[in-house]
């Protein structure tokens, strides 16, 4: 008979501690290799003083090693963004006009900042850019120079490695990101110790031509860098404290949102609560990398974290956002539910008139299609005529000046009574609800109200779900 193996003796408590201690160096290495992408927006880089704040933030956490920068933004509300001035340079050059009205202020701004930061090379870099603009450089090349010059300057100031996005971010000729290629190129470029600075907003197509993302696109670059480097968090440093539970122009001092899921953020941002470029979420969301919106002017505040999942048991509602400027194309017809193709033909009528739709809540015999006022403006009679002729409804009308308000929260679909509280709060404040739509994602309830009731409705919902801070 084969003797069975003796069961392994469990280690004595002292040995167990030794095992833990032996693993600590590995833990240290792990902590050292964890890194953060920190992207700073234009107002965080608007002058030398702001750039010094940025440098302090970077130095205060050694994990902040992958830095993505915008071009200098506005110092005051009446100031000009460098990117806007660069677009102006292009249009002046294109018309054969002198570019100095736009390039002069760019030069002055960069030279002033560089002098304060002690970066001597700026005059030479500017001269090269000026020459190429005069030589007829194309619009994306010119627009990208704000990020390029700023990042070279700040990299020099920080003693960091500058990586030109043109060499590491690959875009197709139509401007779309070639993701797999980009992640590989960037991961290679970001290998090694130390600090790296990557300019936001642009990349290059396979033939080396610079391509810009849409405006505000440095947020996208930040997400791409975080994803390529496999960073533990994507910090997006801006000039606001993060997302708020409601619009501060409507609700006094609304509560900041500490944590929100990617899905909730998307719903809130569609309704106008934007702090981030829409496309910036996708690269990090796919990899489950959280985004942390932070305020450069208040770096000790935790900001808003955008994450995959959150514990929604305490705050079923994440936020409330809304917009005015919608119309409701409403029809009712007895036995609509039994009529094959009614909904499709209704949407086709709008499609043929070049009108996109936002929501289409239906009941057995009614259908509402919510569209934007500006898309249907001037076409109301044509649409009404098409509907009368093709669908023969019992009633059709178009109501404009509608506001939509989304109450958003992951916990809402699982929590009994949320809808009742929402409608009750609106009822109590005398707001008439014109439309209700609980999105298929079940993380929001959208109500349509008259634009004149919009602010009152937002305050009523906020008061119902958010306890005073
Ligand atoms: N500088 C660019 C813009 O003004 C890109 C960015 O800042 O994200 O749109």
């Amino acid at each position: 008979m084969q003797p069975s193996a003796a069961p392994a003796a469990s280690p004595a408590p002292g040995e167990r501690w030794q095992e833990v201690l032996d693993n600590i160096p590995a833990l240290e290495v792990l902590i050292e290799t964890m890194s953060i992408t920190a992207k700073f927006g234009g107002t965080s880089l608007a002058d030398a003083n702001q750039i010094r704040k940025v440098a302090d933030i970077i130095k205060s956490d050694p994990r902040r090693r992958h830095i993505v920068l915008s071009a200098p933004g506005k110092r005051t509300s009446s100031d000009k963004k460098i990117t806007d001035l660069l677009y102006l340079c292009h249009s002046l050059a294109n018309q054969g006009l002198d570019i100095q009205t736009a390039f002069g202020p760019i030069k002055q701004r960069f030279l002033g900042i560089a002098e304060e930061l002690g970066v001597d090379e700026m005059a030479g870099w500017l001269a090269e850019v000026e020459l190429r603009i005069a030589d007829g450089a194309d619009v994306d090349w010119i627009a990208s120079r704000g990020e390029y010059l700023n990042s070279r300057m700040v990299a020099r100031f920080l003693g960091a490695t500058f990586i030109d996005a043109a060499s590491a971010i690959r875009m197709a000729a139509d401007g779309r990101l070639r993701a797999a290629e980009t992640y590989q190129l960037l991961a290679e470029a970001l290998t090694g110790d130390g600090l790296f600075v990557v300019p936001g907003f642009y990349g290059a197509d396979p033939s080396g031509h610079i391509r810009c993302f849409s405006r505000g696109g440095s947020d996208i670059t930040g997400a791409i860098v975080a994803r390529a480097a496999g960073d533990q968090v994507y910090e997006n440093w801006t000039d606001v404290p993060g997302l708020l539970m409601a619009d501060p122009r409507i609700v006094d001092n609304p509560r900041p949102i500490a944590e929100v899921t990617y899905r909730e953020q998307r719903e809130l941002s569609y309704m106008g609560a934007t702090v981030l470029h829409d496309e910036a979420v996708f690269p990090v969301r796919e990899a489950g990398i959280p985004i942390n919106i932070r305020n450069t002017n208040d770096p000790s505040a935790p900001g808003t974290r955008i994450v995959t999942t959150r514990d929604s048991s305490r705050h079923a509602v994440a936020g409330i956002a809304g917009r005015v400027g919608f119309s409701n194309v409403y029809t009712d017809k007895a036995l609509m539910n039994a009529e094959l193709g009614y909904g499709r033909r209704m949407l086709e009528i709008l499609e043929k008139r070049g009108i996109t739709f936002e929501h289409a809540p239906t009941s057995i015999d009614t259908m509402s299609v919510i569209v934007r006022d500006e898309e249907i403006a001037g076409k109301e009679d044509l649409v009404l005529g098409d509907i009368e002729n093709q669908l023969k409804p019992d009633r059709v009308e178009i109501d404009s000046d509608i506001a939509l308000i989304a109450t958003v929260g992951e916990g809402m679909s699982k929590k009994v009574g949320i809808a009742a509280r929402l409608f009750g709060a609106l009822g109590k404040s005398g707001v008439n609800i014109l439309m209700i739509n609980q999105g298929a994602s079940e993380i929001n309830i959208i109500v349509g109200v008259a634009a004149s009731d919009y602010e009152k409705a937002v305050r009523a919902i906020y008061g119902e779900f958010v306890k005073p801070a």
Side-chain angles (χ1 to χ4, degrees):
M1 204 168 84
Q2 282 293 88
S4 57
S10 49
E15 288 169 8
R16 222 176 272 145
W17 274 112
Q18 192 52 52
E19 217 176 289
V20 173
L21 291 174
D22 286 347
N23 280 321
I24 283 182
L27 208 65
E28 270 171 5
V29 170
L30 189 69
I31 291 169
E32 268 168 27
T33 53
M34 287 203 282
S35 45
I36 291 175
T37 293
K39 178 260 167 184
F40 294 87
T43 48
S44 303
L45 300 155
D47 58 26
N49 199 27
Q50 287 296 89
I51 293 174
R52 284 197 197 95
K53 284 189 200 167
V54 165
D56 288 343
I57 290 168
I58 294 169
K59 285 180 196 146
S60 68
D61 188 334
R63 292 171 305 167
R64 293 192 179 112
R65 294 183 45 236
H66 304 135
I67 311 302
V68 175
L69 303 181
S70 282
K74 292 183 180 193
R75 291 158 292 188
T76 58
S77 55
S78 58
D79 199 11
K80 295 259 182 322
K81 282 175 141 196
I82 291 288
T83 310
D84 290 333
L85 289 167
L86 286 162
Y87 279 114
L88 187 57
C89 280
H90 172 257
S91 94
L92 291 170
N94 221 16
Q95 298 168 68
L97 299 170
D98 182 9
I99 64 168
Q100 282 318 311
T101 42
F103 200 74
I106 295 175
K107 222 180 332 204
Q108 211 182 7
R109 183 98 173 262
F110 271 124
L111 285 174
I113 302 176
E115 192 187 342
E116 278 197 60
L117 300 181
V119 177
D120 307 329
E121 297 90 334
M122 184 52 85
W125 298 335
L126 281 164
E128 281 170 34
V129 171
E130 189 171 1
L131 214 64
R132 287 224 14 210
I133 298 177
D135 258 7
D138 73 59
V139 61
D140 280 14
W141 187 89
I142 297 174
S144 71
R145 294 305 90 182
E147 271 69 11
Y148 171 85
L149 291 168
N150 209 25
S151 300
R152 279 195 85 172
M153 173 176 68
V154 175
R156 188 58 55 94
F157 176 61
L158 294 170
T161 306
F162 168 76
I163 296 175
D164 190 351
S167 64
I169 295 188
R170 245 333 131 261
M171 286 153 94
D174 64 4
R176 268 182 306 147
L177 181 75
R178 292 166 65 141
E181 217 177 317
T182 297
Y183 295 146
Q184 196 180 339
L185 285 169
L186 265 174
E188 281 162 18
L190 297 169
T191 314
D193 295 337
L195 204 58
F196 295 87
V197 175
V198 185
F201 190 40
Y202 71 92
D205 67 21
S207 60
H209 286 110
I210 298 278
R211 297 267 157 200
C212 288
F213 294 115
S214 53
R215 294 302 302 268
S218 299
D219 283 346
I220 307 176
T221 311
I224 293 169
V225 167
R227 166 72 184 267
D231 279 346
Q232 63 186 123
V233 56
Y234 167 28
E235 290 180 345
N236 189 289
W237 291 83
T238 173
D239 56 356
V240 293
L243 278 164
L244 300 171
M245 287 196 72
D247 186 336
R249 289 165 298 187
I250 300 174
V251 170
D252 266 351
N253 212 1
R255 195 186 266 268
I257 302 180
E259 205 168 57
V260 68
T261 66
Y262 298 114
R263 296 197 312 160
E264 290 169 333
Q265 185 271 343
R266 175 130 176 81
E267 300 281 348
L268 290 168
S269 131
Y270 162 77
M271 277 297 189
T274 39
V275 277
L276 204 63
H277 192 296
D278 265 351
E279 290 164 47
V281 175
F282 299 104
V284 282
R285 175 180 171 158
E286 281 165 9
I289 298 170
I291 304 173
N292 189 190
I293 312 285
R294 303 284 294 265
N295 186 355
T296 301
N297 302 318
D298 185 11
S300 59
T304 300
R305 281 172 66 80
I306 307 172
V307 293
T308 311
T309 52
R310 70 174 178 97
D311 173 11
S312 56
S313 55
R314 278 188 53 235
H315 299 291
V317 171
I320 300 141
R323 282 207 308 225
V324 293
F326 293 97
S327 293
N328 181 7
V329 182
Y330 171 87
T331 62
D332 69 46
K333 186 174 185 182
L335 297 173
M336 184 192 289
N337 65 317
E339 189 173 322
L340 200 61
Y342 188 97
R344 176 185 51 75
R345 281 181 287 143
M346 172 69 143
L347 296 179
E348 246 171 36
I349 288 171
L350 295 169
E351 184 184 347
K352 287 208 177 108
R353 299 283 174 199
I355 302 164
T356 53
F357 81 100
E358 306 291 316
H359 303 278
T362 58
S363 66
I364 330 172
D365 292 338
T366 72
M367 179 168 188
S368 283
V369 185
I370 307 294
V371 301
R372 287 176 194 254
D373 280 347
E374 78 254 18
E375 292 206 20
I376 201 165
K379 300 176 185 166
E380 291 91 339
D381 288 343
L382 297 170
V383 169
L384 286 172
D386 291 347
I387 293 174
E388 298 273 11
N389 294 336
Q390 295 173 42
L391 298 175
K392 313 223 171 334
D394 299 331
R395 185 155 75 103
V396 53
E397 59 194 39
I398 300 178
D399 298 313
S400 53
D401 279 334
I402 290 176
L404 295 184
I405 302 166
T407 305
V408 177
E410 292 277 357
M412 291 196 341
S413 63
K414 293 187 202 84
K415 217 161 173 171
V416 180
I418 295 272
R421 281 174 65 193
L422 173 63
F423 304 142
L426 291 174
K428 257 185 268 159
S429 51
V431 173
N432 183 28
I433 302 173
L434 303 173
M435 189 256 339
I436 297 168
N437 187 19
Q438 170 149 26
S441 64
E442 289 190 359
I443 64 163
N444 64 9
I445 299 176
I446 295 176
V447 291
V449 301
S452 53
D453 278 339
Y454 171 55
E455 298 199 353
K456 201 204 297 182
V458 170
R459 282 193 283 268
I461 301 171
Y462 183 87
E464 176 62 37
F465 290 108
V466 189
K467 301 275 167 296

